[in-house]
Amino acid sequence: MKSSAAAFYESLRALTREIVYTDASGRTLTLEEGIEAAAAWIVERTAAGGKLMFVGNGASAAISSHMGTDFWKAGGMRAMAFNDIAGLTCIGNDFGYPHLFEKPVEMFADPGDILVCISSSGRSENVLLGAKAARAKGAGVLTLTGFKADNPLRAMGDANFYVPVEAYGPVEVLHHSVCHCLLDTIVASKGRR
């Protein structure tokens, strides 16, 4: 058991060094440069009145909920997650599961907002439709993905963090850590905490 724990954390350390950040043009930056660029973009958009919206399924929904709360509470910016159970079941029932995020994004997104799309595979249809709806509303898209490098969600983002492994646990842990690092970078830039 001890060697399994050591291997797990060594794998996370190695994968952290391999996280790839790309912008909308496909330009690649180091993780640290990507965090700085994405944090500056978030600050610029939210300072101008934009809000952050988070979407994801399963564990990614939990990350979305957690980070939506932390970005407004600790970061002092408008942020929300679209994962209220009544809303999800209503949209799933009335429009179908693929439209879970598309419909609230169509209703609540404004030009200048940022939709944070979290999907381990980068292939979740409901997240992809949410990103497409954000684009149609003039909102930016920040993606956190894993598994295949050519996943379709990664191609839709203005700012993209990609974890190069096909295993849910490490991808989810590192997505959560990237979100916390973004928030901590923003908070530090504002002289908070």
Side-chain angles (χ1 to χ4, degrees):
M1 289 247 258
K2 203 175 203 181
S3 62
S4 293
F8 177 81
Y9 283 104
E10 181 51 43
S11 172
L12 284 181
R13 281 189 290 276
L15 283 169
T16 299
R17 291 186 292 273
E18 294 179 27
I19 295 172
V20 177
Y21 173 89
T22 53
D23 63 18
S25 70
R27 181 176 61 128
T28 302
L29 301 175
T30 66
L31 174 59
E32 294 80 10
E33 293 167 335
I35 292 286
E36 293 292 331
W41 181 51
I42 291 168
V43 167
E44 175 189 321
R45 290 279 180 111
T46 57
K51 64 186 166 294
L52 294 177
M53 301 167 292
F54 290 82
V55 297
N57 295 298
S60 298
I63 295 168
S64 294
S65 182
H66 178 185
M67 298 319 300
T69 300
D70 277 7
F71 271 80
W72 74 256
K73 182 181 64 100
M77 59 194 80
R78 294 186 314 146
M80 60 199 298
F82 293 128
N83 60 6
D84 172 73
I85 193 65
L88 291 177
T89 56
C90 172
I91 294 165
N93 184 64
D94 293 354
F95 299 102
Y97 193 78
H99 305 283
L100 284 187
F101 304 125
E102 174 190 37
K103 295 303 180 184
V105 169
E106 287 175 349
M107 177 58 70
F108 294 103
D110 296 306
D113 289 347
I114 297 173
L115 179 67
V116 180
C117 298
I118 308 172
S119 172
S120 293
S121 70
R123 297 186 177 284
S124 299
E125 184 179 14
N126 57 5
V127 176
L128 292 167
L129 289 174
K132 186 176 177 184
R135 287 267 177 246
K137 296 288 286 200
V141 176
L142 186 153
T143 72
L144 294 108
T145 65
F147 290 38
K148 303 281 187 199
D150 63 349
N151 71 71
L153 182 59
R154 186 177 178 205
M156 297 177 77
D158 298 293
N160 308 284
F161 293 94
Y162 166 69
V163 180
V165 67
E166 293 189 44
Y168 284 98
V171 172
E172 292 162 356
V173 167
L174 292 173
H175 283 172
H176 211 164
S177 75
V178 166
C179 289
H180 271 292
C181 189
L182 282 167
L183 178 58
D184 288 353
T185 300
I186 291 166
V187 168
S189 77
K190 293 179 174 185
R192 291 186 135 168
R193 275 212 188 165

